[in-house]
C-alpha cells in the first residue's frame, strides 16, 4: 500500500506504516449507531467506575501504568510502526504519558475529593462544602502525532476523575488507540470503562453528538471549529487543544550552544510534527549569526530515514505538500536556506531545513508547518522578539533562552506555557497545566487544572444553626432588613470609593 495512507474500505479502516506501506492494523469503522451504543455502554460502565471511589480507581490506574511500563517495548514498537517516529522518540513519549497516569491517579482525591471550605460572615450559620463529580462519559478525539501522550493527557485525567471514556483515535493511528484500550481492559475487565471507536472525521462528529458529558479534542484549529460547532448543538462542553506556531526567543546573554541544541530538538524531533514544536526562532542581532552557525552545524549532522535515525518519515502524506509550499514560498519571498531548501522534501521524508531572512507575511512564519523546518529571524532586542513572537493568533507554548530577563520574557509571551532554557519541559511536568490561548484552544489537560477539566464542581451548603439575619423569607421583620443594610455598609462600605 502507499506508505502512510489510511484506507477505508467495506466498513473497515486500515492503517499503514508511513515509511514502508506495510499494513499495521485493520479495524471496523463505527457508524453513528455504533458510536451511540458505545456511549450508552460507557454510561453504565461509568456508574461502576465512579463507584470504585478515588482509591479503587487509583489502584486500577496504577496497575495499568505498571502494565504499560512492563510492556514499554511493545508499545514503542507499535508507535514506531504506525507513525514512523524513531523508537526512542516513542519511548520518550510513553515515559511522559506514564508520568501523567501516575500523577493523575495519585492526586485525584486531593484535588477533586470532598472538602469543607470557609463560610463568609453574612451566611456564617451555614457550612460550605465542595467536591468535583465526574461527567459520566467523556469523549476524547485525538491526533496521530503523539498517539500515546496526547490522548492520555485527557484519558488518564478523565478516568482518574471518575469518568468512562470513549476515544476516537486519528485514522492514522487506530492500532495504538486500540492497544491502549485493550491494555486498560486487562486491569478493569469488569466493564467497558475505556472504549475505542474507529473511523474518519464523521465518526468523530458522531461522538460530539452522542450525548457525552464533555468532549476533549486535540487536533488542528480548523477541525476544532467543526467540533465546537457540533458540540454546540447539544451544549456539550468542550476542551480544545489545537495547533500552534511556537516561538523561541534567544536573548543576548543566552547560552548559545544550549539554545541551538534545544531549537533543533524543539523544531525537528518527531520530524517537526509536534503541536508545541518550535517553528520560529527570534534571535537578537548581537548573537544571531553565531546562533545560526551553531544551529546549522548541528542540523547538518541529523540523519533521515526509517530506522535508527534522527528523523523518520512524515506520518500524514498530505502534509508533505504543506511543508514543500512553506519552504518554496519563503524562498520566493527572499528567504535563504542555510540548511536544506527546495530539495528537502523527498517523500516520505523531509530533510532538516533552516531558513533565515523570512519575511513576516510568509506562510513559514504565519502557519503551522508541521515539518522539520525552522525559521530564524534577526531582531534588534528581546522586546522586538517578544512583539514578533506574539503577533500570531496561535498561542500554545514557547521557549526563552536568556539569563537576566528570562522570567520577564516568559511572562510576556502570549502562550499557555513557556519553558526557560529548555524546550517542551512543561509537557512532561505533570504538576503543571497544559493548553493554549487564542487559536491554540482553551481548557487545560495535566496537573490540577487537568483533573478539574473532567469534573463538575458541586457546591453544598449545610445550615448549622438559626440565622441571625433571616431575610430570605417573605415573613422577615423590618428590623432584619435594617440590620442587613447596616451590616452591608459596615462590611463593604469601608475605604475610598
Ligand atoms: P485533525 O484536526 O485533522 O484531526 C484530529 C482528530 O479529529 C482526528 O481524530 C480526526 O479524525 C478528527 N476529526 C476530523 N474531522 C472531524 C470532525 N468534523 N469532527 C470530529 N472529529 C474530527 O488533526 P491531526 O490529526 O492532523 O493532528 C495534527 C494537529 O493536532 C496539529 O494542528 C497539531 O498542532 C495539533 N495538536 C495539538 C496538540 C495540543 O495539545 N494542543 C497536541 C498534538 C497535536 P481523522 O484523523 O480520522 O480525520
Amino acid at each position: 500500500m502507499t506508505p502512510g495512507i489510511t484506507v477505508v474500505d467495506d466498513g473497515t479502516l486500515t492503517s499503514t506504516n508511513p515509511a514502508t506501506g506495510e499494513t499495521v492494523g485493520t479495524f471496523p469503522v463505527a457508524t453513528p449507531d455504533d458510536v451511540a451504543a458505545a456511549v450508552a455502554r460507557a454510561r453504565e460502565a461509568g456508574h461502576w467506575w465512579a463507584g470504585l471511589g478515588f482509591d479503587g480507581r487509583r489502584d486500577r490506574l496504577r496497575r495499568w501504568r505498571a502494565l504499560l511500563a512492563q510492556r514499554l517495548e511493545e508499545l514503542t514498537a507499535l508507535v514506531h510502526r504506525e507513525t514512523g517516529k524513531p523508537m526512542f522518540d516513542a519511548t520518550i513519549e510513553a515515559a511522559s504519558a506514564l508520568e501523567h497516569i501516575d500523577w493523575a491517579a495519585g492526586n485525584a482525591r486531593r484535588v477533586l475529593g470532598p472538602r469543607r471550605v470557609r463560610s463568609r460572615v453574612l451566611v456564617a450559620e451555614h457550612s460550605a462544602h465542595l467536591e468535583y463529580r465526574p461527567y459520566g462519559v467523556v469523549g476524547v478525539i485525538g491526533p496521530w502525532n503523539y498517539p500515546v501522550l496526547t490522548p492520555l493527557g485527557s484519558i488518564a485525567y478523565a478516568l482518574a476523575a471518575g469518568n468512562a471514556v470513549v476515544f476516537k483515535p486519528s485514522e492514522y493511528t487506530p492500532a495504538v488507540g486500540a492497544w491502549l484500550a485493550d491494555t486498560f481492559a486487562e486491569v478493569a475487565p469488569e466493564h467497558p470503562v475505556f472504549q475505542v471507536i474507529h473511523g474518519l472525521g464523521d465518526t468523530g462528529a458522531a461522538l460530539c453528538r452522542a450525548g457525552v458529558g464533555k468532549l476533549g479534542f486535540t487536533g488542528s484549529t480548523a477541525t476544532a471549529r467543526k467540533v465546537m460547532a457540533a458540540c454546540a448543538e447539544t451544549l456539550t462542553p468542550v476542551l480544545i487543544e489545537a495547533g500552534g506556531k511556537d516561538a523561541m526567543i534567544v536573548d543576548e546573554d543566552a547560552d548559545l550552544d544550549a539554545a541551538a541544541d534545544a531549537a533543533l530538538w524543539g523544531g525537528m524531533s518527531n520530524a517537526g510534527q509536534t503541536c508545541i514544536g518550535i517553528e520560529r526562532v527570534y534571535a537578537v542581532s548581537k548573537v544571531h549569526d553565531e546562533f545560526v552557525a551553531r544551529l546549522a552545524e548541528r542540523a547538518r549532522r541529523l540523519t533521515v530515514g526509517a530506522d535508527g535515525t534522527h528523523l523518520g518519515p512524515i506520518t500524514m502524506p498530505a502534509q508533505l505538500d504543506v511543508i514543500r509550499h512553506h519552504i518554496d514560498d519563503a524562498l520566493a519571498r527572499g528567504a535563504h536556506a542555510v540548511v536544506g531548501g527546495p530539495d528537502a522534501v523527498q517523500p516520505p521524508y523531509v530533510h532538516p531545513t533552516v531558513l533565515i531572512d523570512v519575511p513576516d507575511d510568509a506562510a513559514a512564519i504565519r502557519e503551522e508547518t508541521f515539518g522539520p523546518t525552522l525559521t530564524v529571524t534577526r531582531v534588534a532586542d528581546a522586546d522586538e522578539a517578544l512583539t514578533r513572537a506574539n503577533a500570531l493568533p496561535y498561542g500554545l507554548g514557547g521557549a526563552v533562552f536568556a539569563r537576566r530577563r528570562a522570567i520577564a520574557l516568559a511572562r510576556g509571551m502570549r502562550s499557555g506555557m513557556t519553558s526557560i532554557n529548555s524546550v517542551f519541559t512543561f509537557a512532561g511536568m505533570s504538576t503543571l497545566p497544559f493548553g493554549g490561548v487564542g487559536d491554540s484552544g482553551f481548557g487545560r489537560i495535566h496537573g490540577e487544572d487537568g483533573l478539574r477539566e473532567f469534573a463538575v464542581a458541586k457546591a453544598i451548603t449545610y445550615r448549622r444553626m438559626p440565622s441571625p439575619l433571616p431575610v430570605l423569607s417573605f415573613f422577615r421583620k423590618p428590623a432584619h432588613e435594617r440590620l442587613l443594610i447596616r451590616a452591608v455598609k459596615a462590611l463593604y462600605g469601608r475605604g475610598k470609593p
Side-chain angles (χ1 to χ4, degrees), residues 46-100:
H47 290 308
W48 172 79
W49 179 245
L52 289 185
F54 288 108
D55 293 349
R57 295 194 296 269
R58 184 196 57 213
D59 293 347
R60 301 293 179 117
L61 285 166
R62 284 188 171 158
R63 280 172 56 197
W64 188 35
R65 180 215 61 203
L67 183 72
L68 298 190
Q70 285 160 25
R71 289 165 67 178
L72 183 66
E73 290 82 358
E74 187 185 325
L75 173 60
T76 53
L78 181 59
V79 172
H80 169 63
R81 281 171 61 216
E82 205 166 45
T83 66
K85 74 172 65 179
M87 286 284 282
F88 198 71
D89 285 15
T91 305
I92 296 171
E93 177 184 350
S96 200
L98 290 173
E99 162 62 19
H100 285 291

Short mmCIF file of all heavy atoms in Angstrom, two decimals, residues 46-100:
data_model
loop_
_atom_site.label_atom_id
_atom_site.label_comp_id
_atom_site.label_asym_id
_atom_site.label_seq_id
_atom_site.Cartn_x
_atom_site.Cartn_y
_atom_site.Cartn_z
N GLY A 46 -19.55 3.71 33.49
CA GLY A 46 -19.13 4.87 34.28
C GLY A 46 -19.69 4.84 35.69
O GLY A 46 -19.02 5.26 36.64
N HIS A 47 -20.92 4.33 35.83
CA HIS A 47 -21.50 4.22 37.18
C HIS A 47 -20.63 3.30 38.05
O HIS A 47 -20.34 3.59 39.21
CB HIS A 47 -22.93 3.65 37.11
CG HIS A 47 -23.91 4.61 36.51
ND1 HIS A 47 -24.05 5.90 36.96
CD2 HIS A 47 -24.80 4.47 35.50
CE1 HIS A 47 -24.98 6.51 36.24
NE2 HIS A 47 -25.44 5.67 35.35
N TRP A 48 -20.25 2.18 37.45
CA TRP A 48 -19.43 1.22 38.20
C TRP A 48 -18.06 1.83 38.54
O TRP A 48 -17.59 1.74 39.66
CB TRP A 48 -19.25 -0.05 37.34
CG TRP A 48 -18.28 -1.01 37.95
CD1 TRP A 48 -18.52 -1.88 38.97
CD2 TRP A 48 -16.90 -1.18 37.58
NE1 TRP A 48 -17.38 -2.57 39.26
CE2 TRP A 48 -16.36 -2.17 38.42
CE3 TRP A 48 -16.07 -0.59 36.62
CZ2 TRP A 48 -15.04 -2.58 38.34
CZ3 TRP A 48 -14.75 -1.01 36.53
CH2 TRP A 48 -14.24 -1.98 37.39
N TRP A 49 -17.47 2.48 37.54
CA TRP A 49 -16.14 3.06 37.71
C TRP A 49 -16.16 4.15 38.78
O TRP A 49 -15.31 4.19 39.68
CB TRP A 49 -15.66 3.59 36.37
CG TRP A 49 -14.31 4.23 36.33
CD1 TRP A 49 -14.05 5.54 36.06
CD2 TRP A 49 -13.04 3.61 36.54
NE1 TRP A 49 -12.70 5.78 36.08
CE2 TRP A 49 -12.05 4.60 36.37
CE3 TRP A 49 -12.62 2.31 36.84
CZ2 TRP A 49 -10.69 4.35 36.50
CZ3 TRP A 49 -11.25 2.05 36.97
CH2 TRP A 49 -10.31 3.06 36.81
N ALA A 50 -17.17 5.03 38.70
CA ALA A 50 -17.28 6.10 39.71
C ALA A 50 -17.47 5.49 41.08
O ALA A 50 -16.93 5.98 42.08
CB ALA A 50 -18.44 7.03 39.36
N GLY A 51 -18.21 4.37 41.13
CA GLY A 51 -18.49 3.72 42.41
C GLY A 51 -17.25 3.11 43.05
O GLY A 51 -17.25 2.83 44.25
N LEU A 52 -16.19 2.91 42.29
CA LEU A 52 -14.95 2.39 42.89
C LEU A 52 -14.32 3.40 43.83
O LEU A 52 -13.49 3.04 44.67
CB LEU A 52 -13.92 2.04 41.79
CG LEU A 52 -14.19 0.83 40.90
CD1 LEU A 52 -12.99 0.61 39.98
CD2 LEU A 52 -14.44 -0.42 41.72
N GLY A 53 -14.68 4.67 43.67
CA GLY A 53 -14.11 5.71 44.53
C GLY A 53 -12.68 6.05 44.10
O GLY A 53 -12.09 5.39 43.25
N PHE A 54 -12.14 7.09 44.72
CA PHE A 54 -10.80 7.55 44.33
C PHE A 54 -9.75 6.45 44.56
O PHE A 54 -8.87 6.25 43.72
CB PHE A 54 -10.42 8.80 45.13
CG PHE A 54 -11.18 10.02 44.70
CD1 PHE A 54 -12.17 10.56 45.50
CD2 PHE A 54 -10.92 10.62 43.48
CE1 PHE A 54 -12.86 11.68 45.10
CE2 PHE A 54 -11.61 11.74 43.07
CZ PHE A 54 -12.60 12.28 43.89
N ASP A 55 -9.85 5.74 45.67
CA ASP A 55 -8.81 4.75 45.97
C ASP A 55 -8.89 3.56 45.03
O ASP A 55 -7.86 3.07 44.55
CB ASP A 55 -8.92 4.29 47.43
CG ASP A 55 -8.59 5.44 48.39
OD1 ASP A 55 -8.08 6.47 47.91
OD2 ASP A 55 -8.86 5.29 49.60
N GLY A 56 -10.12 3.11 44.75
CA GLY A 56 -10.28 1.99 43.83
C GLY A 56 -9.77 2.33 42.44
O GLY A 56 -9.10 1.53 41.78
N ARG A 57 -10.09 3.54 41.99
CA ARG A 57 -9.63 3.95 40.66
C ARG A 57 -8.11 4.14 40.63
O ARG A 57 -7.44 3.79 39.65
CB ARG A 57 -10.34 5.24 40.23
CG ARG A 57 -11.84 5.06 40.05
CD ARG A 57 -12.44 6.23 39.30
NE ARG A 57 -12.34 7.48 40.01
CZ ARG A 57 -13.25 7.96 40.84
NH1 ARG A 57 -14.35 7.27 41.07
NH2 ARG A 57 -13.08 9.12 41.44
N ARG A 58 -7.59 4.69 41.72
CA ARG A 58 -6.13 4.88 41.78
C ARG A 58 -5.42 3.53 41.64
O ARG A 58 -4.45 3.41 40.90
CB ARG A 58 -5.76 5.53 43.12
CG ARG A 58 -4.27 5.85 43.27
CD ARG A 58 -3.92 6.11 44.71
NE ARG A 58 -4.28 4.96 45.52
CZ ARG A 58 -4.70 5.00 46.79
NH1 ARG A 58 -4.81 6.15 47.40
NH2 ARG A 58 -5.01 3.91 47.44
N ASP A 59 -5.95 2.50 42.30
CA ASP A 59 -5.30 1.19 42.23
C ASP A 59 -5.33 0.64 40.81
O ASP A 59 -4.34 0.11 40.32
CB ASP A 59 -5.97 0.22 43.20
CG ASP A 59 -5.74 0.64 44.65
OD1 ASP A 59 -4.87 1.53 44.88
OD2 ASP A 59 -6.43 0.12 45.54
N ARG A 60 -6.48 0.77 40.15
CA ARG A 60 -6.57 0.25 38.77
C ARG A 60 -5.64 1.04 37.84
O ARG A 60 -4.97 0.47 36.98
CB ARG A 60 -8.00 0.36 38.24
CG ARG A 60 -9.04 -0.38 39.04
CD ARG A 60 -8.87 -1.88 38.98
NE ARG A 60 -9.89 -2.52 39.79
CZ ARG A 60 -10.82 -3.35 39.30
NH1 ARG A 60 -10.82 -3.68 38.03
NH2 ARG A 60 -11.74 -3.87 40.09
N LEU A 61 -5.64 2.35 38.01
CA LEU A 61 -4.80 3.17 37.12
C LEU A 61 -3.31 2.88 37.36
O LEU A 61 -2.51 2.87 36.41
CB LEU A 61 -5.09 4.66 37.34
CG LEU A 61 -6.41 5.13 36.71
CD1 LEU A 61 -6.82 6.50 37.24
CD2 LEU A 61 -6.31 5.17 35.18
N ARG A 62 -2.96 2.61 38.62
CA ARG A 62 -1.55 2.28 38.88
C ARG A 62 -1.19 0.91 38.31
O ARG A 62 -0.07 0.70 37.84
CB ARG A 62 -1.27 2.34 40.38
CG ARG A 62 -1.16 3.77 40.84
CD ARG A 62 -0.69 3.89 42.25
NE ARG A 62 -0.41 5.27 42.57
CZ ARG A 62 -0.40 5.76 43.80
NH1 ARG A 62 -0.63 4.97 44.83
NH2 ARG A 62 -0.13 7.04 44.00
N ARG A 63 -2.16 -0.01 38.32
CA ARG A 63 -1.88 -1.32 37.70
C ARG A 63 -1.71 -1.15 36.19
O ARG A 63 -0.88 -1.81 35.56
CB ARG A 63 -3.03 -2.28 38.02
CG ARG A 63 -2.93 -2.87 39.42
CD ARG A 63 -4.16 -3.65 39.79
NE ARG A 63 -4.47 -4.70 38.85
CZ ARG A 63 -5.67 -5.32 38.77
NH1 ARG A 63 -6.64 -4.97 39.59
NH2 ARG A 63 -5.89 -6.25 37.88
N TRP A 64 -2.52 -0.27 35.62
CA TRP A 64 -2.39 -0.01 34.17
C TRP A 64 -1.03 0.61 33.85
O TRP A 64 -0.34 0.20 32.92
CB TRP A 64 -3.52 0.93 33.74
CG TRP A 64 -3.65 1.14 32.25
CD1 TRP A 64 -3.42 0.22 31.28
CD2 TRP A 64 -4.05 2.34 31.59
NE1 TRP A 64 -3.67 0.76 30.04
CE2 TRP A 64 -4.06 2.07 30.21
CE3 TRP A 64 -4.42 3.61 32.02
CZ2 TRP A 64 -4.41 3.03 29.26
CZ3 TRP A 64 -4.79 4.56 31.08
CH2 TRP A 64 -4.77 4.28 29.72
N ARG A 65 -0.63 1.60 34.66
CA ARG A 65 0.68 2.23 34.49
C ARG A 65 1.78 1.19 34.54
O ARG A 65 2.70 1.18 33.72
CB ARG A 65 0.87 3.28 35.59
CG ARG A 65 2.19 4.02 35.55
CD ARG A 65 2.64 4.32 36.97
NE ARG A 65 2.83 3.09 37.72
CZ ARG A 65 2.79 2.98 39.05
NH1 ARG A 65 2.55 4.02 39.80
NH2 ARG A 65 2.98 1.81 39.64
N ALA A 66 1.69 0.25 35.52
CA ALA A 66 2.71 -0.79 35.66
C ALA A 66 2.72 -1.70 34.43
O ALA A 66 3.78 -2.06 33.90
CB ALA A 66 2.45 -1.60 36.92
N LEU A 67 1.52 -2.03 33.95
CA LEU A 67 1.41 -2.89 32.76
C LEU A 67 2.06 -2.22 31.54
O LEU A 67 2.83 -2.83 30.79
CB LEU A 67 -0.07 -3.18 32.49
CG LEU A 67 -0.40 -4.12 31.34
CD1 LEU A 67 -0.04 -5.54 31.73
CD2 LEU A 67 -1.89 -4.05 31.03
N LEU A 68 1.75 -0.94 31.37
CA LEU A 68 2.32 -0.21 30.21
C LEU A 68 3.84 -0.14 30.33
O LEU A 68 4.55 -0.29 29.35
CB LEU A 68 1.73 1.21 30.12
CG LEU A 68 0.23 1.35 29.89
CD1 LEU A 68 -0.14 2.80 29.59
CD2 LEU A 68 -0.26 0.47 28.76
N ALA A 69 4.33 0.11 31.55
CA ALA A 69 5.78 0.21 31.74
C ALA A 69 6.44 -1.13 31.45
O ALA A 69 7.50 -1.20 30.82
CB ALA A 69 6.08 0.68 33.16
N GLN A 70 5.79 -2.21 31.88
CA GLN A 70 6.38 -3.53 31.65
C GLN A 70 6.33 -3.92 30.17
O GLN A 70 7.16 -4.69 29.70
CB GLN A 70 5.66 -4.57 32.51
CG GLN A 70 6.06 -4.47 33.98
CD GLN A 70 5.08 -5.12 34.92
OE1 GLN A 70 4.34 -6.02 34.53
NE2 GLN A 70 5.04 -4.65 36.16
N ARG A 71 5.36 -3.38 29.44
CA ARG A 71 5.26 -3.70 28.01
C ARG A 71 5.68 -2.51 27.14
O ARG A 71 5.21 -2.33 26.02
CB ARG A 71 3.83 -4.15 27.69
CG ARG A 71 3.58 -5.53 28.30
CD ARG A 71 2.13 -5.91 28.35
NE ARG A 71 1.56 -6.11 27.03
CZ ARG A 71 0.28 -6.50 26.84
NH1 ARG A 71 -0.50 -6.74 27.88
NH2 ARG A 71 -0.19 -6.63 25.62
N LEU A 72 6.58 -1.71 27.70
CA LEU A 72 7.03 -0.48 27.05
C LEU A 72 7.54 -0.73 25.62
O LEU A 72 7.18 -0.01 24.68
CB LEU A 72 8.14 0.17 27.90
CG LEU A 72 8.69 1.50 27.43
CD1 LEU A 72 7.62 2.58 27.53
CD2 LEU A 72 9.91 1.90 28.29
N GLU A 73 8.36 -1.77 25.46
CA GLU A 73 8.97 -2.01 24.14
C GLU A 73 7.90 -2.36 23.10
O GLU A 73 8.01 -1.98 21.93
CB GLU A 73 10.01 -3.13 24.20
CG GLU A 73 11.28 -2.77 24.96
CD GLU A 73 11.14 -2.91 26.47
OE1 GLU A 73 10.03 -3.26 26.94
OE2 GLU A 73 12.13 -2.64 27.17
N GLU A 74 6.87 -3.11 23.54
CA GLU A 74 5.78 -3.48 22.63
C GLU A 74 5.04 -2.22 22.17
O GLU A 74 4.73 -2.05 20.98
CB GLU A 74 4.83 -4.41 23.39
CG GLU A 74 3.75 -5.02 22.57
CD GLU A 74 2.79 -5.82 23.47
OE1 GLU A 74 3.25 -6.44 24.46
OE2 GLU A 74 1.58 -5.81 23.18
N LEU A 75 4.79 -1.32 23.13
CA LEU A 75 4.09 -0.08 22.80
C LEU A 75 4.91 0.80 21.87
O LEU A 75 4.42 1.29 20.85
CB LEU A 75 3.76 0.69 24.10
CG LEU A 75 3.16 2.08 23.93
CD1 LEU A 75 1.84 2.03 23.16
CD2 LEU A 75 2.94 2.75 25.28
N THR A 76 6.20 0.97 22.19
CA THR A 76 7.00 1.88 21.37
C THR A 76 7.22 1.31 19.97
O THR A 76 7.26 2.05 18.99
CB THR A 76 8.34 2.21 22.05
OG1 THR A 76 9.00 1.00 22.40
CG2 THR A 76 8.14 3.03 23.30
N ALA A 77 7.30 -0.02 19.87
CA ALA A 77 7.46 -0.62 18.53
C ALA A 77 6.20 -0.36 17.70
O ALA A 77 6.29 -0.07 16.50
CB ALA A 77 7.72 -2.12 18.66
N LEU A 78 5.04 -0.44 18.34
CA LEU A 78 3.79 -0.19 17.61
C LEU A 78 3.69 1.28 17.19
O LEU A 78 3.31 1.59 16.04
CB LEU A 78 2.60 -0.59 18.50
CG LEU A 78 1.21 -0.40 17.88
CD1 LEU A 78 1.06 -1.22 16.60
CD2 LEU A 78 0.12 -0.80 18.89
N VAL A 79 4.05 2.19 18.10
CA VAL A 79 4.03 3.62 17.75
C VAL A 79 4.99 3.88 16.59
O VAL A 79 4.67 4.60 15.64
CB VAL A 79 4.38 4.48 18.99
CG1 VAL A 79 4.56 5.94 18.59
CG2 VAL A 79 3.31 4.35 20.07
N HIS A 80 6.17 3.26 16.65
CA HIS A 80 7.17 3.41 15.58
C HIS A 80 6.60 2.92 14.24
O HIS A 80 6.74 3.58 13.22
CB HIS A 80 8.42 2.61 15.97
CG HIS A 80 9.42 2.47 14.87
ND1 HIS A 80 10.06 3.56 14.31
CD2 HIS A 80 9.89 1.37 14.21
CE1 HIS A 80 10.89 3.13 13.36
NE2 HIS A 80 10.80 1.81 13.28
N ARG A 81 5.93 1.77 14.27
CA ARG A 81 5.40 1.22 13.01
C ARG A 81 4.27 2.08 12.46
O ARG A 81 4.15 2.28 11.26
CB ARG A 81 4.88 -0.20 13.23
CG ARG A 81 6.00 -1.23 13.27
CD ARG A 81 5.49 -2.59 13.71
NE ARG A 81 4.48 -3.10 12.81
CZ ARG A 81 3.42 -3.82 13.20
NH1 ARG A 81 3.21 -4.05 14.48
NH2 ARG A 81 2.57 -4.28 12.32
N GLU A 82 3.42 2.60 13.35
CA GLU A 82 2.23 3.29 12.83
C GLU A 82 2.47 4.76 12.51
O GLU A 82 1.81 5.32 11.63
CB GLU A 82 1.05 3.14 13.82
CG GLU A 82 -0.29 3.27 13.12
CD GLU A 82 -1.47 2.80 13.96
OE1 GLU A 82 -1.52 3.16 15.15
OE2 GLU A 82 -2.36 2.11 13.41
N THR A 83 3.40 5.42 13.23
CA THR A 83 3.68 6.84 12.94
C THR A 83 4.98 7.03 12.18
O THR A 83 5.20 8.09 11.59
CB THR A 83 3.80 7.67 14.23
OG1 THR A 83 4.97 7.23 14.94
CG2 THR A 83 2.58 7.55 15.11
N GLY A 84 5.89 6.05 12.26
CA GLY A 84 7.20 6.20 11.64
C GLY A 84 8.22 6.87 12.53
O GLY A 84 9.40 6.96 12.19
N LYS A 85 7.80 7.36 13.71
CA LYS A 85 8.76 8.11 14.53
C LYS A 85 9.83 7.17 15.07
O LYS A 85 9.56 5.97 15.29
CB LYS A 85 8.06 8.87 15.66
CG LYS A 85 7.57 8.04 16.81
CD LYS A 85 7.06 8.93 17.94
CE LYS A 85 5.86 9.76 17.57
NZ LYS A 85 5.36 10.60 18.65
N PRO A 86 11.05 7.67 15.26
CA PRO A 86 12.12 6.81 15.80
C PRO A 86 11.71 6.17 17.12
O PRO A 86 10.98 6.77 17.91
CB PRO A 86 13.29 7.79 15.99
CG PRO A 86 13.01 8.89 15.02
CD PRO A 86 11.52 9.02 14.96
N MET A 87 12.22 4.96 17.34
CA MET A 87 11.84 4.19 18.54
C MET A 87 12.07 4.99 19.82
O MET A 87 11.24 4.97 20.73
CB MET A 87 12.65 2.89 18.62
CG MET A 87 12.22 1.84 17.65
SD MET A 87 10.70 1.03 18.17
CE MET A 87 11.32 -0.09 19.40
N PHE A 88 13.22 5.68 19.89
CA PHE A 88 13.49 6.34 21.17
C PHE A 88 12.58 7.55 21.37
O PHE A 88 12.22 7.89 22.50
CB PHE A 88 14.97 6.71 21.34
CG PHE A 88 15.29 6.97 22.79
CD1 PHE A 88 15.32 5.94 23.71
CD2 PHE A 88 15.47 8.28 23.25
CE1 PHE A 88 15.54 6.18 25.06
CE2 PHE A 88 15.69 8.53 24.60
CZ PHE A 88 15.74 7.48 25.50
N ASP A 89 12.17 8.20 20.29
CA ASP A 89 11.18 9.29 20.42
C ASP A 89 9.88 8.73 21.01
O ASP A 89 9.23 9.35 21.85
CB ASP A 89 10.86 9.92 19.06
CG ASP A 89 11.99 10.83 18.56
OD1 ASP A 89 13.10 10.73 19.11
OD2 ASP A 89 11.75 11.60 17.61
N ALA A 90 9.52 7.51 20.54
CA ALA A 90 8.31 6.87 21.07
C ALA A 90 8.50 6.53 22.54
O ALA A 90 7.54 6.59 23.33
CB ALA A 90 7.99 5.61 20.26
N THR A 91 9.72 6.19 22.93
CA THR A 91 9.99 5.87 24.34
C THR A 91 9.83 7.11 25.21
O THR A 91 9.24 7.07 26.29
CB THR A 91 11.42 5.31 24.49
OG1 THR A 91 11.55 4.20 23.60
CG2 THR A 91 11.70 4.86 25.91
N ILE A 92 10.35 8.24 24.73
CA ILE A 92 10.22 9.48 25.50
C ILE A 92 8.73 9.83 25.65
O ILE A 92 8.27 10.22 26.72
CB ILE A 92 10.98 10.63 24.80
CG1 ILE A 92 12.48 10.35 24.78
CG2 ILE A 92 10.70 11.98 25.50
CD1 ILE A 92 13.28 11.31 23.93
N GLU A 93 7.99 9.68 24.56
CA GLU A 93 6.56 9.98 24.60
C GLU A 93 5.85 9.09 25.63
O GLU A 93 5.07 9.57 26.46
CB GLU A 93 5.94 9.75 23.20
CG GLU A 93 4.45 9.97 23.20
CD GLU A 93 3.78 9.66 21.86
OE1 GLU A 93 4.47 9.44 20.86
OE2 GLU A 93 2.54 9.64 21.85
N ALA A 94 6.15 7.79 25.59
CA ALA A 94 5.49 6.86 26.52
C ALA A 94 5.87 7.17 27.96
O ALA A 94 5.03 7.11 28.87
CB ALA A 94 5.85 5.43 26.16
N ALA A 95 7.16 7.51 28.19
CA ALA A 95 7.61 7.81 29.56
C ALA A 95 6.81 8.98 30.12
O ALA A 95 6.38 8.97 31.29
CB ALA A 95 9.11 8.14 29.55
N SER A 96 6.60 9.97 29.30
CA SER A 96 5.86 11.15 29.73
C SER A 96 4.40 10.78 30.04
O SER A 96 3.83 11.23 31.03
CB SER A 96 5.94 12.18 28.61
OG SER A 96 5.66 13.43 29.08
N ALA A 97 3.83 9.93 29.20
CA ALA A 97 2.44 9.50 29.41
C ALA A 97 2.31 8.73 30.73
O ALA A 97 1.34 8.91 31.48
CB ALA A 97 1.97 8.65 28.24
N LEU A 98 3.30 7.87 31.01
CA LEU A 98 3.26 7.09 32.27
C LEU A 98 3.31 8.01 33.48
O LEU A 98 2.62 7.79 34.47
CB LEU A 98 4.43 6.10 32.30
CG LEU A 98 4.32 4.94 31.31
CD1 LEU A 98 5.59 4.12 31.29
CD2 LEU A 98 3.14 4.06 31.67
N GLU A 99 4.12 9.05 33.38
CA GLU A 99 4.19 10.02 34.47
C GLU A 99 2.81 10.66 34.70
O GLU A 99 2.38 10.85 35.84
CB GLU A 99 5.25 11.09 34.13
CG GLU A 99 5.17 12.38 34.91
CD GLU A 99 5.37 12.23 36.42
OE1 GLU A 99 5.92 11.21 36.86
OE2 GLU A 99 4.92 13.14 37.15
N HIS A 100 2.11 10.97 33.63
CA HIS A 100 0.79 11.60 33.79
C HIS A 100 -0.24 10.63 34.38
O HIS A 100 -1.05 11.03 35.23
CB HIS A 100 0.29 12.16 32.45
CG HIS A 100 1.01 13.43 32.09
ND1 HIS A 100 0.82 14.59 32.79
CD2 HIS A 100 1.93 13.70 31.14
CE1 HIS A 100 1.60 15.54 32.27
NE2 HIS A 100 2.28 15.02 31.27
#
